[in-house]
Amino acid sequence: MNCGKFIIQNSPPLRGRVTIGGSKNSVLPIMAAALLTEEKCSLFDVPELSDVYVLEKLLKQIGACTEWDTKRKCLSIEAKRIVKTEADYDLVGQMRASFLIMGPLLAKTGEVKLPLPGGCAIGTRPVDLHLKGFSAMGAEISQEHGYVWAKAKKLAGAHIYLDFPSVGATENIIMAATLAEGTTTIENCANEPEIVDLSNFLNSCGAQIRGAGTDTVRINGVEKLYGCDHTVIPDRIEAGTFMIAAAATNGDITVENIVPDHLKPIIAKLRETGVTIEESPTKIRVSNSGIIKAVDIKTLPYPGFPSDLQAPFMSMLSHANGISVVTETVFENRFMHVGEFKRMGADIKIDSRSAVVEGVSKLTGAQVKATDLRAGAALIINALIADGETEISDIHHIDRGYHRIEDKFLKLGARMHRV
Ligand code: EPZ
């Protein structure tokens, strides 16, 4: 599917202010969690992203009512009536996060049938840990013809140890456990800020979740969940993308509507390269006016360096002073962007989970493709600093995670437009 391209010229250092939107990776699980409730939930600061629209369509398909209230600037979801407990392949295939409706539907209706989410550019992305959690809570799971069924008259609290702190598995199991009989403990779970936001949303609806944001979360099941108003946390990955772009272009920008605590790993790494960062409670100023020092990065579950900022940070390292080693430990195949970087003159050698990046003095504009949403954002950063003109195609990937990214970059002085 080819819908449009970005044409980007070499641009002056980025300057000015950019306001960050609500977090994509927080609003998606929260929209799924609304299926657990009996009354209207109103979500504020919902980012207008294609992933949000796809999930909204899926929720309506299974019977929820949704409404964008332009006056109150919120998305309301009412899930009293669930008419279907299965979703069709093309919608779930479009977006893996659709799998997050499994836990809520299983807990609310006692049965669910979903297509197994396919892999994508960054890896096979199995859901075995999600299913392990559901079966530990007494669900009967079966898989055939590319679908997975789960059935349980009433889920029972369980003690679950996750082999890997999977974000999605942690979220799916927490959601299922809110209506289970008894207490569920999840150990070695993910502690991303998005897990805390989901837990705060569910507790506002009457759930009893403790420990979100740590390695162990405890959920006491309750009879039913009500509605609530909830403001989604700012998107730390969008914020990090603009912070890196400012550093890479030797610019000076202020990023507003952020939670500095969520950006600690990226702030630390940027400072290591010599970038100046000034923090205040809701905004951060990033400025750079010198050589970018080469540094090593290793992606890890939170609070380690986020996998989602690996590609954007590699853009900056592509023309840093020296050799950097980028190690991707979260996904098994998240270097698809390296081929596109090399078309622009980057000097990168991949050795299984690591990429050795030798900084070059100059990148050159080229025709490149966005292979996933974060790789697409990284190519924009490359294009801003490269000599000449760059054409990025397959930009629908970028629209999944960044709302009208070109408007925000244009306001900072970038020379780019969408065709
Ligand atoms: C979430 O994906 C995010 N997506 C991803 O952001 C993010 O990169 C990822 O967490 C890691 O932080 C959303 O929140 C919608 P995982 P998720 O389960 O939940 C393996 C973006 O760009 N695994 O923590 O799918 C898996 O294969 C996207 O916004 C299993 O083996 O991530 C992967 O290697 C990309 N079995 C690793 O864990 C399972 O059952 C991390 O996956 C589940 C996961």
Side-chain angles (χ1 to χ4, degrees):
M1 175 172 81
N2 173 9
C3 60
K5 295 184 166 101
F6 282 140
I7 307 294
I8 305 172
Q9 272 82 29
N10 179 281
S11 298
L14 297 181
R15 290 202 189 299
R17 326 172 77 78
V18 60
T19 303
I20 299 303
S23 162
K24 164 177 93 76
N25 291 347
S26 187
V27 75
L28 294 175
I30 287 174
M31 287 170 70
L35 290 173
L36 290 159
T37 64
E38 306 288 331
E39 291 167 2
K40 181 153 88 167
C41 301
S42 296
L43 307 178
F44 295 82
D45 280 7
V46 174
E48 294 168 68
L49 303 168
S50 53
D51 272 10
V52 169
Y53 298 131
V54 168
L55 187 55
E56 183 197 5
K57 200 165 151 194
L58 178 58
L59 296 183
K60 288 165 87 161
Q61 203 185 64
I62 53 178
C65 300
T66 65
E67 187 205 347
W68 288 89
D69 183 331
T70 43
K71 228 178 17 298
R72 291 178 68 211
K73 287 203 175 59
C74 69
L75 168 63
S76 298
I77 300 174
E78 197 152 356
K80 246 203 315 283
R81 244 174 8 94
I82 300 287
V83 293
K84 264 178 81 182
T85 58
E86 58 180 83
D88 47 39
Y89 177 68
D90 64 350
L91 265 186
V92 175
Q94 263 184 62
M95 188 191 57
R96 288 181 40 75
S98 322
F99 201 72
L100 291 171
I101 67 171
M102 183 146 215
L105 281 183
L106 179 59
K108 187 93 176 285
T109 68
E111 67 169 302
V112 54
K113 172 187 167 192
L114 285 181
L116 276 169
C120 61
I122 60 180
T124 52
R125 302 186 74 180
V127 288
D128 55 308
L129 298 178
H130 301 236
L131 303 179
K132 174 179 170 183
F134 299 143
S135 52
M137 296 165 76
E140 202 189 309
I141 309 269
S142 56
Q143 294 186 39
E144 53 188 16
H145 309 300
Y147 278 82
V148 60
W149 277 262
K151 271 197 190 67
K153 221 189 267 329
K154 179 85 174 161
L155 290 171
H159 194 127
I160 297 157
Y161 189 91
L162 286 181
D163 310 36
F164 179 89
S166 151
V167 171
T170 303
E171 291 166 343
N172 237 336
I173 297 166
I174 286 177
M175 291 189 281
T178 54
L179 297 180
E181 195 69 48
T183 299
T184 298
T185 303
I186 313 170
E187 285 201 77
N188 191 34
C189 62
N191 45 48
E192 269 71 1
E194 293 75 30
I195 310 273
V196 177
D197 204 27
L198 171 66
S199 162
N200 290 340
F201 165 77
L202 284 167
N203 284 344
S204 306
C205 294
Q208 291 180 14
I209 305 166
R210 298 290 173 271
T214 73
D215 299 344
T216 303
V217 173
R218 202 158 272 107
I219 307 106
N220 292 329
V222 295
E223 271 309 299
K224 63 185 274 194
L225 292 178
Y226 305 89
C228 78
D229 284 5
H230 181 83
T231 299
V232 176
I233 55 170
D235 192 316
R236 60 192 170 98
I237 304 301
E238 184 191 19
T241 305
F242 282 100
M243 289 165 68
I244 295 165
T249 59
N250 272 332
D252 180 350
I253 75 167
T254 299
V255 183
E256 299 177 332
N257 184 37
I258 47 107
V259 177
D261 215 31
H262 297 169
L263 293 162
K264 276 190 184 156
I266 185 71
I267 291 170
K269 266 304 154 189
L270 283 172
R271 281 183 170 143
E272 267 182 54
T273 66
V275 170
T276 306
I277 306 245
E278 288 162 45
E279 292 178 58
S280 51
T282 62
K283 56 186 179 206
I284 275 193
R285 183 176 172 194
V286 180
S287 58
N288 190 31
S289 56
I291 298 287
I292 294 169
K293 282 200 223 76
V295 295
D296 295 343
I297 55 170
K298 181 174 190 179
T299 67
L300 284 165
Y302 192 87
F305 188 92
S307 169
D308 291 346
L309 288 175
Q310 178 252 107
F313 208 89
M314 193 187 276
S315 298
M316 196 171 115
L317 298 175
S318 300
H319 80 124
N321 196 16
I323 296 177
S324 310
V325 179
V326 176
T327 305
E328 171 59 58
T329 74
V330 176
F331 288 99
E332 77 270 17
N333 176 32
R334 201 169 192 173
F335 285 138
M336 298 292 279
H337 47 282
V338 169
E340 301 305 305
F341 279 33
K342 291 167 84 158
R343 289 179 50 71
M344 300 180 78
D347 178 353
I348 306 171
K349 292 177 191 62
I350 296 178
D351 167 16
S352 84
R353 288 257 176 159
S354 290
V356 178
V357 183
E358 176 134 15
V360 295
S361 55
K362 172 171 78 116
L363 294 172
T364 54
Q367 287 166 302
V368 288
K369 278 185 186 315
T371 47
D372 79 73
L373 71 150
R374 308 303 174 187
L379 288 170
I380 293 175
I381 297 172
N382 282 353
L384 296 175
I385 53 183
D387 275 7
E389 178 171 286
T390 297
E391 178 187 289
I392 304 176
S393 53
D394 287 357
I395 58 173
H396 59 281
H397 286 297
I398 302 175
D399 293 335
R400 291 187 48 186
Y402 298 91
H403 175 54
R404 296 219 44 98
I405 198 169
E406 70 273 28
D407 293 352
K408 293 189 174 178
F409 270 116
L410 283 166
K411 263 176 68 181
L412 295 170
R415 296 170 59 213
M416 70 186 282
H417 62 281
R418 179 188 289 252
V419 294

